[in-house]
Amino acid sequence: MLFKQQALLRQKLFVLGSLAIGSLLYLVARVGSLDRLQPLCPIDGRFGPRSQDEIPLRALQFKRGLLHEFRKGNVTKEQIRLHNLVQQLPKAIIIGVRKGGTRALLEMLNLHPAVVKASQEIHFFDNDENYAKGIEWYRKKMPFSYPHQITIEKSPAYFITEEVPERIYKMNSSIKLLIIVREPTTRAISDYTQVLEGKERKNKTYYKFEKLAIDPNTCEVNTKYKAVRTSIYTKHLERWLKYFPIEQFHIVDGDRLITEPLPELQLVEKFLNLPPRISQYNLYFNATRGFYCLRFNIVFNKCLAGSKGRIHPEVDTSVITKLRKFFHPFNQKFYQITGRTFNWP
């Protein structure tokens, strides 16, 4: 009798378990279906009233796969016309700073369904040979997008190259400019680390950071060293301000983007007049990598390349102190100009 009761109980549990799993699978399929069909508000207030051919943001999000095929070149002119896709000049550019987190910022902004990124650094405005090819060459380097999406490119060399501000101004005087910065000494060491790694891959030797950053003749900070010069943010920004008002710049905290990315991304969404779409769901911390990774949907996740987050070599503390003392007055001026203060020593 007891054996029969146990067998009956197991049978009931099996049936209930099967129903639960079936219900769960149905809900997943149903939510996905509804998610694809549910229209959301368009990008309000930036492009004016919604036209009949405007694509809802949710629809844009689920057509990323299609855009990927266009980027790979697996399309015909007829398909381009049919889907109303265009190659647009960027409405925003991440102009720097090298080793400030430009790649991370671009990839994270690409989570937004109204943003399309140029995958490679174009180096149009800082490279004379490329610039001589003309604006149409530049436009054709941009990804395919829907007319109401924003195209963003990043080339961190733009920030420190003298000719670039005027060249970008001639293309679009109202363009929005993003600058991501880190604590200047940390950024300089990160810059050095990337170059050092490249030398080691080629079995070449390289000077220690201390020897490059400090002038051996004067024992003062070596401002001829490019990694040091790049970290004097205010000197470069002042050149840009000859062409663009400060309102067209947004400063991103690169150190905070590593530890708390969402608040920084929300500030960028606001600056670009985008509806808030990036949420904590899109960002998850990968303990193995030590960085946040990106979740586009239930299927597609992405982490930054393994080269990101290189381990820095140990640097003499007296050199770090000297560099921080050197950068301090420049940092204070940078805070004053931008209206944003950082907790830099």
Side-chain angles (χ1 to χ4, degrees), residues 29-86:
R30 181 63 176 164
V31 168
S33 174
L34 289 174
D35 212 12
R36 285 189 290 273
L37 294 173
Q38 180 185 4
L40 293 180
C41 296
I43 306 172
D44 298 324
R46 185 160 54 83
F47 301 108
R50 177 176 172 180
S51 63
Q52 289 184 345
D53 61 345
E54 182 163 344
I55 310 295
L57 287 181
R58 180 65 66 183
L60 294 178
Q61 191 170 24
F62 281 91
K63 291 188 177 181
R64 284 189 183 277
L66 177 63
L67 291 177
H68 180 64
E69 291 301 313
F70 277 82
R71 283 196 293 272
K72 291 194 300 183
N74 300 335
V75 292
T76 63
K77 290 183 179 180
E78 177 60 24
Q79 287 174 310
I80 292 172
R81 185 196 63 78
L82 181 65
H83 291 284
N84 195 29
L85 293 175
V86 291

Side-chain angles (χ1 to χ4, degrees), residues 7-26:
L8 185 61
L9 179 60
R10 282 196 297 270
Q11 187 177 6
K12 288 181 178 179
L13 288 173
F14 176 79
V15 172
L16 288 172
S18 300
L19 288 172
I21 293 171
S23 299
L24 181 60
L25 291 173
Y26 172 80

Side-chain angles (χ1 to χ4, degrees), residues 131 162-171 240 243-244:
Y131 190 68
E162 189 172 343
E163 298 84 4
V164 171
E166 182 179 4
R167 288 174 174 180
I168 291 181
Y169 180 84
K170 287 179 178 178
M171 178 190 74
W240 283 85
Y243 295 91
F244 300 96

Side-chain angles (χ1 to χ4, degrees), residues 123-140:
H123 289 286
F124 177 64
F125 297 102
D126 65 310
N127 183 300
D128 290 342
E129 185 179 339
N130 287 343
Y131 190 68
K133 295 175 182 176
I135 201 72
E136 275 304 298
W137 178 88
Y138 180 55
R139 186 178 64 80
K140 288 177 181 177

Side-chain angles (χ1 to χ4, degrees), residues 2 6 28-29 36 44 56 86 102 118 129 159 208 216 306 328:
L2 180 61
Q6 289 177 338
V28 170
R36 285 189 290 273
D44 298 324
V86 291
T102 56
E129 185 179 339
F159 185 59
K208 291 187 70 175
H328 182 75

Side-chain angles (χ1 to χ4, degrees), residues 153-307:
E153 78 123 321
K154 74 103 176 173
S155 294
Y158 288 169
F159 185 59
I160 63 171
T161 305
E162 189 172 343
E163 298 84 4
V164 171
E166 182 179 4
R167 288 174 174 180
I168 291 181
Y169 180 84
K170 287 179 178 178
M171 178 190 74
N172 182 359
S173 62
S174 62
I175 197 166
K176 299 204 170 186
L177 303 165
L178 294 162
I179 306 173
I180 181 166
V181 294
R182 297 188 68 193
E183 191 276 314
T185 301
T186 302
R187 194 222 64 82
I189 296 172
S190 181
D191 198 330
Y192 166 84
T193 303
Q194 178 169 310
V195 176
L196 175 64
E197 186 181 278
K199 297 285 186 182
E200 289 176 341
R201 278 200 305 266
K202 299 175 182 177
N203 294 318
K204 294 182 178 180
T205 56
Y206 196 48
Y207 294 110
K208 291 187 70 175
F209 176 79
E210 292 87 341
K211 192 168 184 178
L212 294 168
I214 303 298
D215 188 323
N217 298 317
T218 64
C219 291
E220 296 299 326
V221 173
N222 179 15
T223 54
K224 293 180 180 179
Y225 179 37
K226 188 175 180 180
V228 169
R229 289 202 316 273
T230 300
S231 285
I232 308 174
Y233 303 140
T234 185
K235 290 287 188 182
H236 305 293
L237 182 59
E238 285 173 342
R239 183 173 60 251
W240 283 85
L241 290 173
K242 293 176 183 178
Y243 295 91
F244 300 96
I246 194 63
E247 291 78 18
Q248 282 177 233
F249 296 86
H250 178 74
I251 311 300
V252 179
D253 185 340
D255 294 306
R256 192 183 182 203
L257 191 74
I258 295 171
T259 59
E260 264 186 298
L262 185 57
E264 286 299 315
L265 295 172
Q266 289 172 333
L267 289 173
V268 178
E269 283 180 323
K270 186 175 181 180
F271 172 70
L272 296 177
N273 295 321
L274 293 171
R277 289 294 182 272
I278 302 174
S279 70
Q280 197 61 57
Y281 169 80
N282 301 117
L283 303 158
Y284 67 95
F285 187 75
N286 186 314
T288 304
R289 302 288 294 275
F291 286 92
Y292 277 87
C293 293
L294 316 179
R295 181 186 291 116
F296 287 85
N297 52 49
I298 197 171
V299 176
F300 180 52
N301 298 341
K302 180 178 183 178
C303 289
L304 295 179
S307 61

